[in-house]
Amino acid sequence: FHDFLRGLDVLDQYSNCPSHIDVNLWNIMVQLRRTKIESEFKLKASVQELAEAETTLNLYTLELKSRKENSAVHMAELKAAREEKLLQSRDIQLQIVMPMGLVEVPLTGHISDFASTVLIRREIVEDINKEVQAAGEKKIAAMNTVTNYRHVNKLKEWECRKLRMECEDLQNKINNIEKVKVTVEVKQYLKDPDKYSEDILEINSDLINRVSEQYESILSSLATKIKEVEEKIKIKKKENKKLDDDIINLKCDVSEQTLERDLDFEKDMEEDKRKRMAAIVKRSQLVRQIQQAHKDNMVLQTELELLRLKTYPTLKYKSNI
């Protein structure tokens, strides 16, 4: 900076002034230049101070933000500590020893087992149990009443159906009695039952004799037919035995023929037969193709003749005779 001022003093000397400029003008110009340089230095200093101030402001802003965050954290911790203190002062943890029969909570050995439990007095539980028992007894009594009512109802329905059926039976009997016609025989029986029974016995004895004779004749005819059928069965058995023997002999012959067969020769014969059939089929196909080609050729020739006649018509001479 001192070197700059020395150089500036050297430049401000009148010896460096151009010849066509007056001394007063030179002094004014030097003064203005000095003022400008001083203003520039002040401006640079102000800019530097402003930058330092902004840097300081940013630092203080960051520190203030961190202090506020720390203050918020401390306030939250303080609030939590106050709430915990109030909770501990109001909700004191007590240990109550109770018999196992009075605890209705599944126990795993942790204090969290009782997180959602409620402590109820024994008298309240007993009163509730009594009410439940009374309600159960009422329900059982109502169910018994309904069951008995159903049984009685079913019994009454059965008795009603029974009486109706008896009424229907009696009505049918009355109808049957009303429909019965009293014949002469019935009148005789009603007048003298003993005499009527003797006549009936005589008639029945004759009928029994006739039936027994018919039965014996039927038995004799059936016995004869049975003998004939047995004879036929014996004949059929003999024929079946003969047929079985013939079948066995045929099976033996077939087995011998099968053993004596020349499979290679039969295979060659089948192959030749197949080839001959294929040749015949191919020949028939070729014949059909030749016939179709001949037909097509004839059709084309006919069309050609017709076209020729159209192109070169035939002129006929008419005589005047």
Side-chain angles (χ1 to χ4, degrees):
F1 181 73
H2 294 290
D3 294 335
F4 177 76
L5 291 176
R6 290 193 193 95
L8 187 61
D9 291 335
V10 172
L11 290 174
D12 290 342
Q13 291 178 3
Y14 185 73
S15 60
N16 293 323
C17 177
S19 59
H20 61 277
I21 295 175
D22 190 10
V23 176
N24 295 324
L25 293 175
W26 174 255
N27 292 327
I28 293 168
M29 187 182 68
V30 169
Q31 188 177 359
L32 290 174
R33 185 170 61 185
R34 288 276 183 157
T35 304
K36 181 181 178 183
I37 291 169
E38 185 179 358
S39 299
E40 288 178 356
F41 277 116
K42 288 181 180 180
L43 180 62
K44 288 181 180 180
S46 298
V47 169
Q48 190 173 1
E49 288 178 359
L50 181 62
E52 290 178 357
E54 288 179 353
T55 304
T56 305
L57 179 62
N58 291 328
L59 291 174
Y60 282 116
T61 303
L62 293 174
E63 187 176 358
L64 180 62
K65 186 177 180 180
S66 63
R67 293 289 179 85
K68 286 182 179 180
E69 290 177 355
N70 292 329
S71 176
V73 171
H74 292 314
M75 289 296 292
E77 291 178 354
L78 180 61
K79 185 178 180 181
R82 287 177 179 175
E83 290 178 355
E84 186 177 359
K85 184 178 179 181
L86 289 172
L87 182 63
Q88 289 179 357
S89 62
R90 294 178 181 177
D91 190 8
I92 301 173
Q93 186 175 0
L94 299 176
Q95 183 177 1
I96 300 174
V97 180
M98 300 177 66
M100 290 296 294
L102 301 178
V103 179
E104 298 182 358
V105 178
L107 301 177
T108 60
H110 298 86
I111 195 66
S112 60
D113 296 338
F114 304 95
S116 60
T117 57
V118 179
L119 185 64
I120 302 173
R121 289 187 300 170
R122 183 173 180 177
E123 291 79 5
I124 297 173
V125 176
E126 290 178 353
D127 294 337
I128 293 171
N129 290 333
K130 288 179 181 179
E131 292 179 359
V132 171
Q133 289 177 358
E137 291 176 356
K138 289 180 181 179
K139 184 177 180 181
I140 292 169
M143 292 174 67
N144 291 328
T145 304
V146 171
T147 305
N148 294 328
Y149 175 75
R150 287 179 179 175
H151 290 166
V152 172
N153 191 12
K154 288 181 180 179
L155 181 61
K156 294 296 182 183
E157 288 179 355
W158 180 80
E159 290 177 354
C160 182
R161 286 198 298 270
K162 179 184 176 183
L163 293 173
R164 285 181 180 177
M165 293 173 71
E166 289 178 354
C167 292
E168 290 177 357
D169 292 337
L170 293 173
Q171 187 66 36
N172 291 327
K173 288 180 180 180
I174 292 169
N175 293 329
N176 292 328
I177 292 169
E178 290 176 352
K179 291 179 181 179
V180 170
K181 294 181 180 180
V182 180
T183 59
V184 177
E185 294 177 353
V186 174
K187 290 180 180 180
Q188 291 177 358
Y189 176 76
L190 292 174
K191 289 179 180 179
D192 192 359
D194 296 332
K195 184 179 179 180
Y196 185 79
S197 60
E198 290 176 358
D199 295 335
I200 293 298
L201 288 173
E202 290 177 358
I203 294 168
N204 288 333
S205 62
D206 295 334
L207 182 62
I208 289 168
N209 292 326
R210 286 197 300 271
V211 170
S212 62
E213 290 175 358
Q214 291 178 0
Y215 179 71
E216 289 177 356
S217 63
I218 291 168
L219 285 177
S220 61
S221 63
L222 287 174
T224 305
K225 289 181 180 179
I226 288 168
K227 289 180 181 179
E228 292 177 356
V229 171
E230 288 178 352
E231 292 294 332
K232 290 180 180 180
I233 289 170
K234 289 180 181 179
I235 294 168
K236 288 294 181 182
K237 284 183 179 180
K238 290 180 181 179
E239 291 177 356
N240 289 332
K241 186 176 181 182
K242 185 178 179 181
L243 290 172
D244 291 335
D245 295 335
D246 294 338
I247 290 168
I248 292 169
N249 293 326
L250 286 172
K251 285 183 178 179
C252 293
D253 294 337
V254 169
S255 299
E256 291 177 358
Q257 292 293 329
T258 303
L259 293 172
E260 292 176 358
R261 284 172 59 190
D262 190 357
L263 298 177
D264 295 333
F265 178 73
E266 290 180 358
K267 187 176 180 180
D268 294 336
M269 290 291 290
E270 290 291 333
E271 186 68 23
D272 293 338
K273 185 177 179 181
R274 188 181 62 78
K275 288 181 180 179
R276 286 197 299 273
M277 290 298 294
I280 291 168
V281 171
K282 189 173 182 181
R283 181 179 178 281
S284 62
Q285 290 176 355
L286 291 173
V287 169
R288 283 197 295 270
Q289 290 178 1
I290 291 167
Q291 290 176 354
Q292 186 65 32
H294 180 67
K295 289 180 181 179
D296 295 338
N297 192 10
M298 293 298 292
V299 171
L300 291 172
Q301 286 181 358
T302 304
E303 291 179 355
L304 180 61
E305 291 294 333
L306 292 173
L307 291 172
R308 284 178 179 176
L309 290 174
K310 288 180 181 179
T311 307
Y312 304 104
T314 303
L315 300 175
K316 291 184 179 181
Y317 176 73
K318 292 183 179 181
S319 62
N320 294 323
I321 300 172

